[in-house]
Amino acid sequence: MLLKLIPVPLLEYIVEKVLYTNSDDPRAPPALFLDKKLFSHLHVRGIAVVFMNVNDVDTLHLALENGATAILSDRISHIADYLKAHPELKFKKLG
């Protein structure tokens, strides 16, 4: 029933954003989850953007480039060591 209420162009946009990624990497999240406008909207309202399962340097860079305010990791010592070695990498501040 709900799908009948959504205009076709909007539905196509949603499907494209959910099913397709910004990358050739099959592990990359759908484009919808890397929307910088959405993250800016959340930051202005004081809502944190937390990336989960950041267990390697590439994913850490992806999180930081897209405005993460925090990350969750199973390899926190590895990530912490990398961040200490690269002080130029910063998380987005709320506010």
Side-chain angles (χ1 to χ4, degrees):
M1 278 288 230
L2 179 62
L3 292 179
K4 291 181 181 179
L5 301 175
I6 300 174
V8 172
L10 177 59
L11 186 59
E12 289 172 350
Y13 172 80
I14 292 170
V15 169
E16 178 183 336
K17 289 290 188 177
V18 171
L19 295 179
Y20 300 103
T21 66
N22 292 330
S23 169
D24 292 332
D25 183 352
R27 298 174 304 147
L32 179 67
F33 300 132
L34 295 176
D35 187 346
K36 290 182 183 182
K37 289 181 186 177
L38 171 62
F39 294 166
S40 293
H41 174 83
L42 296 171
H43 289 144
V44 167
R45 284 153 184 77
I47 300 171
V49 175
V50 180
F51 279 63
M52 297 175 64
N53 298 328
V54 178
N55 295 321
D56 58 51
V57 172
D58 292 335
T59 309
L60 174 64
H61 281 279
L62 181 71
L64 294 174
E65 288 168 7
N66 285 283
T69 50
I71 62 167
L72 297 175
S73 177
D74 296 322
R75 301 184 63 203
I76 197 65
S77 60
H78 173 70
I79 298 295
D81 291 344
Y82 185 80
L83 287 171
K84 285 178 190 172
H86 297 86
E88 71 278 3
L89 298 176
K90 302 284 184 202
F91 287 98
K92 182 87 174 172
K93 294 187 179 184
L94 293 178

